[in-house]
Amino acid sequence: MASLRQFEYLVAVVDEGSFTRAAERLHVTQPALSHQIRALERTLGGPLLERLPRAVRLTPMGRAMLPHARAALADAERARVSARRASGLERGELQLATVYSVSLGVLPAALRTWRREHPGVHIRLFEHRHADELLAAMAAGQADVAVGPPPPGWDGPVRTLGVEEFVVVLPEDDPLEGSVNIELGTLADRSWVHYSPGNGLAELVDRVCAAAGFQPSAAVRTEQTAAAPTLAAAGLGPALVPANVIPPRFDGRLLRPDPPVRRTLTAYTRGRPDPLTTAFVDVLARRATVLPEHVRRRLRLD
């Protein structure tokens, strides 16, 4: 039996005109998207899409199927709206606390989905420099839900969202030779684009560089995570940044640290969360961009 998710994938491919763009829009891998489309075609007994070298087009069966897929998705959305009204999820404010890098790279896709599904529920965002500050603020009652690294000793619900990868950024024309993987010790004699003291990423960079046998010198320090890859691509020095802050058409060079640098991200709440908070955490689990597909392809990750 065809599923709503398969209908959503079909509509996305048609609207975007590309499997690649549809996968980025849906925050899934292209193989997973293709698998679901093929499964839908097997269920319906024939091809729905003709795969051309630079585009896709609907087959006659696909043209017949598409209006029904759109109608099914619209019916499902109306059902969700009715359920939200019945459970009080149509109006209100949800308070969200996080760290700077997460608000930049991980949250936008989830917040966009939330806005579409819950247009009457507003988000108030609190941002912190360090995971310790985030944990203290959450314990003090600042927000309904926090998104950040796993909170040590937390006695409330904690939900894992995924594991983010960190990448090394260099200028596109950097003379460094080698594959997409790099040992951080290779860059020990360079001055780095670093983070300001008090920023949690400054501690992370110092820790992983120490594990590689050196202490990074700073050519420049920035408070803003978004500035680090731009400064590195401009040639001020290598930077270690969360992969999810790299935009799709970034013109710097991306390398994967060897061994990899990773950080688990979670959503955590106090006590038993109310329906509004539970619904938001569910959206985070579905849509948070922990590792973007465009970076996964550039780093040749499976």
Side-chain angles (χ1 to χ4, degrees):
M1 180 180 295
S3 68
L4 285 174
R5 173 164 292 186
Q6 289 171 337
F7 288 157
E8 181 185 19
Y9 287 7
L10 173 65
V11 169
V13 171
V14 172
D15 289 348
E16 296 294 334
S18 160
F19 276 79
T20 299
R21 290 194 296 272
E24 291 179 354
R25 166 177 147 183
L26 295 168
H27 304 290
V28 299
T29 65
Q30 188 171 330
L33 174 62
S34 298
H35 173 76
Q36 288 297 325
I37 295 295
R38 287 194 297 270
L40 178 60
E41 290 174 329
R42 286 194 299 270
T43 298
L44 299 177
L48 301 173
L49 298 168
E50 182 181 356
R51 292 138 174 94
L52 304 174
R54 296 183 178 274
V56 294
R57 66 184 297 273
L58 287 164
T59 65
M61 179 180 287
R63 288 194 292 274
M65 183 67 218
L66 184 63
H68 298 286
R70 292 191 189 277
L73 293 173
D75 285 343
E77 177 60 21
R78 284 191 289 271
R80 283 194 294 268
V81 169
S82 297
R84 291 199 302 270
R85 285 174 177 163
S87 60
L89 300 181
E90 280 298 292
R91 293 289 183 270
E93 179 183 83
L94 187 138
Q95 297 177 334
L96 169 64
T98 189
V99 290
Y100 288 150
S101 63
V102 169
S103 65
L104 173 67
V106 176
L107 291 182
L111 293 177
R112 184 167 56 248
T113 297
W114 178 262
R115 181 66 175 169
R116 184 177 67 247
E117 297 182 356
H118 302 263
V121 179
H122 303 292
I123 299 292
R124 184 178 181 187
L125 182 63
F126 301 93
E127 297 173 277
H128 298 276
R129 298 181 305 163
H130 196 288
D132 291 345
E133 294 178 6
L134 172 65
L135 178 58
M138 188 63 180
Q142 181 185 69
D144 301 302
V145 58
V147 179
W154 188 254
D155 59 2
V158 179
R159 185 164 179 178
T160 298
L161 302 178
V163 178
E164 62 178 350
E165 294 267 354
F166 282 73
V167 296
V168 173
V169 180
L170 294 172
E172 190 64 49
D173 59 356
D174 191 276
L176 183 71
E177 297 181 357
S179 68
V180 73
N181 296 321
I182 184 172
E183 295 181 4
L184 292 183
T186 306
L187 303 171
D189 60 346
R190 299 201 187 190
S191 294
W192 285 61
V193 174
H194 212 325
Y195 300 96
S196 299
N199 187 314
L201 292 183
E203 292 183 8
L204 183 146
V205 170
D206 286 340
R207 185 172 65 252
V208 299
C209 288
F214 70 99
Q215 180 178 351
S217 63
V220 62
R221 288 184 180 269
T222 178
E223 187 73 34
Q224 302 299 324
T225 310
T230 301
L231 294 171
L236 275 75
L240 184 68
V241 303
N244 46 58
V245 306
I246 302 295
R249 284 170 285 279
F250 182 67
D251 58 4
R253 183 177 174 187
L254 302 185
L255 300 173
R256 187 185 187 197
D258 183 14
V261 177
R262 298 182 173 121
R263 182 173 66 171
T264 299
L265 293 179
T266 64
Y268 55 99
T269 59
R270 290 181 307 278
R272 183 178 179 181
D274 60 24
L276 189 64
T277 303
T278 299
F280 183 76
V281 173
D282 288 341
V283 170
L284 283 173
R286 286 191 287 123
R287 296 303 195 195
T289 311
V290 179
L291 180 59
E293 179 62 24
H294 65 272
V295 176
R296 184 186 295 274
R297 290 198 304 270
R298 285 185 65 170
L299 297 179
R300 303 169 197 165
L301 297 173
D302 294 333

